[in-house]
């Protein structure tokens, strides 16, 4: 089952503060998924004791559970009234295979900024300052000179400004360049000579959910939940 959106909205209507609204939504999604997943989780955990189920990962953002299970457990779950659908958590290719090429040397601003007059609103004070943007992609080259002054501070727990859900480690370094390109479109500040970022004072959270072979629904969901758990305002 899924949480009714009208009910969720009603719980936040009396709250003006953005952070409070955000926490209400997250708490409600977690509460709802925990309650509705209870019976199925009990089955999975019991079957896990006989090694028929491994890698159980419960998600609250869309109320589903990812795991590795034996055929007989899958058939058993298929008959459970709380289960709507069972699908394969397969790798999906979400970026193309074209290789990056050197860009023409331009000084000033790239067309994405001027096309929508983003630079005009900078003069009004709208530069992205105070806004955390999570880049859910192939990772980010956090050493890039146009980005390194705009990175989310993950403290000692996340010293490389995010997380890698492809390799399950704390280093979300980009191994493809696509994520770094997207990060530059968000807040590339022009240190290298050309401004590319629409919101040059925004803060980047680096979340790797795609590798050379693509990514899975589980990786993406984990990245979304990580971003929300750690204060991202916008998910890209």
């Amino acid at each position: 089952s899924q949480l009714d959106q009208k009910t969720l909205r009603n719980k936040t209507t009396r709250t003006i503060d953005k952070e409070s609204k955000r926490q209400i939504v997250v708490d409600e999604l977690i509460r709802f998924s925990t309650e509705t997943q209870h019976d199925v989780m009990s089955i999975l955990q019991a079957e896990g004791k006989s090694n028929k189920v491994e890698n159980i990962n419960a998600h609250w953002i869309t109320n589903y559970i990812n795991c590795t299970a034996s055929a007989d457990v899958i058939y058993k779950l298929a008959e459970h009234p709380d289960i709507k659908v069972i699908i394969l958590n397969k790798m999906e290719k979400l970026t193309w295979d074209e290789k990056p090429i050197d860009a023409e040397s331009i000084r000033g601003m790239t067309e994405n900024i001027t096309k929508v007059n983003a630079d005009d609103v900078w003069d009004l004070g709208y530069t992205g300052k105070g806004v955390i943007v999570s880049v859910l992609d192939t990772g980010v080259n956090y050493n890039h000179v146009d980005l390194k002054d705009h990175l989310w501070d993950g403290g000692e727990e996340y010293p490389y400004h995010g997380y890698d859900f492809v390799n399950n480690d704390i280093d979300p370094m980009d191994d493809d360049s696509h994520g770094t390109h997207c990060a530059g479109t968000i807040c590339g500040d022009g240190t290298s000579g050309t401004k590319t970022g629409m919101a040059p004072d925004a803060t980047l959270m680096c979340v790797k959910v795609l590798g050379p072979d693509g990514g899975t629904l589980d990786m993406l969901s984990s990245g979304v939940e990580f971003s929300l758990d750690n204060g991202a305002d916008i998910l890209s």
Side-chain angles (χ1 to χ4, degrees):
S1 53
Q2 298 295 312
L3 185 60
D4 179 63
Q5 293 186 27
K6 184 178 180 180
T7 302
L8 191 58
R9 279 196 297 271
N10 289 340
K11 288 180 179 291
T12 63
T13 51
R14 297 181 182 178
T15 305
I16 299 175
D17 176 66
K18 183 179 73 172
E19 292 301 320
S20 298
K21 277 190 174 186
R22 165 207 194 84
Q23 198 57 54
I24 289 171
V25 171
V26 170
D27 289 346
E28 275 298 297
L29 287 169
I30 292 173
R31 180 199 62 76
F32 182 81
S33 63
T34 301
E35 288 181 1
T36 55
Q37 291 174 8
H38 180 267
D39 286 354
V40 174
M41 283 293 291
S42 296
I43 294 171
L44 293 174
Q45 289 165 352
E47 296 289 0
K49 294 177 181 178
S50 55
N51 298 318
K52 290 186 176 183
V53 175
E54 297 176 329
N55 307 317
I56 302 172
N57 195 7
H59 290 287
W60 50 265
I61 193 67
T62 48
N63 195 22
Y64 79 94
I65 304 166
N66 186 70
C67 66
T68 304
S70 63
D72 60 320
V73 172
I74 292 172
Y75 282 113
K76 180 179 180 180
L77 291 172
E79 296 177 350
H80 196 286
D82 289 347
I83 299 288
K84 180 177 182 180
V85 64
I86 298 175
I87 61 172
L88 178 63
N89 183 49
K90 63 181 179 178
M91 295 292 287
E92 300 279 3
K93 190 78 172 177
L94 299 181
T95 57
W96 53 93
D97 292 321
E98 295 177 11
K99 297 301 179 184
I101 59 174
D102 291 336
E104 181 182 351
S105 182
I106 304 171
R107 287 294 175 261
M109 298 180 190
T110 49
E111 189 181 22
N112 60 292
I113 294 173
T114 57
K115 193 80 171 177
V116 298
N117 302 315
D119 49 325
D120 289 341
V121 301
W122 298 346
D123 296 334
L124 302 175
Y126 299 103
T127 62
K129 187 174 183 179
V131 178
I132 300 173
V133 183
S134 175
V135 183
L136 298 145
D137 212 290
T138 60
V140 175
N141 177 7
Y142 43 75
N143 295 320
H144 195 293
V145 293
D146 286 353
L147 303 175
K148 66 180 184 179
D149 293 333
H150 306 276
L151 299 170
W152 172 65
D153 182 2
E156 293 183 1
E157 190 173 7
Y158 305 112
Y160 300 106
H161 321 291
Y163 196 84
D164 177 355
F165 287 97
V166 177
N167 301 296
N168 282 318
D169 62 46
I170 59 173
D171 188 358
M173 175 56 77
D174 191 359
D175 55 8
D176 177 86
S177 82
H178 187 272
T180 303
H181 169 93
C182 294
T185 303
I186 293 166
C187 66
D189 64 9
T191 299
S192 62
T194 305
K195 292 182 179 179
T196 61
M198 305 291 277
D201 290 330
T203 299
L204 280 178
M205 183 183 291
C206 311
V207 183
K208 183 176 176 66
V209 295
L210 298 173
D213 299 321
T216 66
L217 179 61
D218 183 60
M219 293 173 188
L220 181 58
S221 298
S222 297
V224 169
E225 291 172 348
F226 175 90
S227 303
L228 296 175
D229 282 338
N230 288 283
D233 300 295
I234 296 174
L235 279 59
S236 173

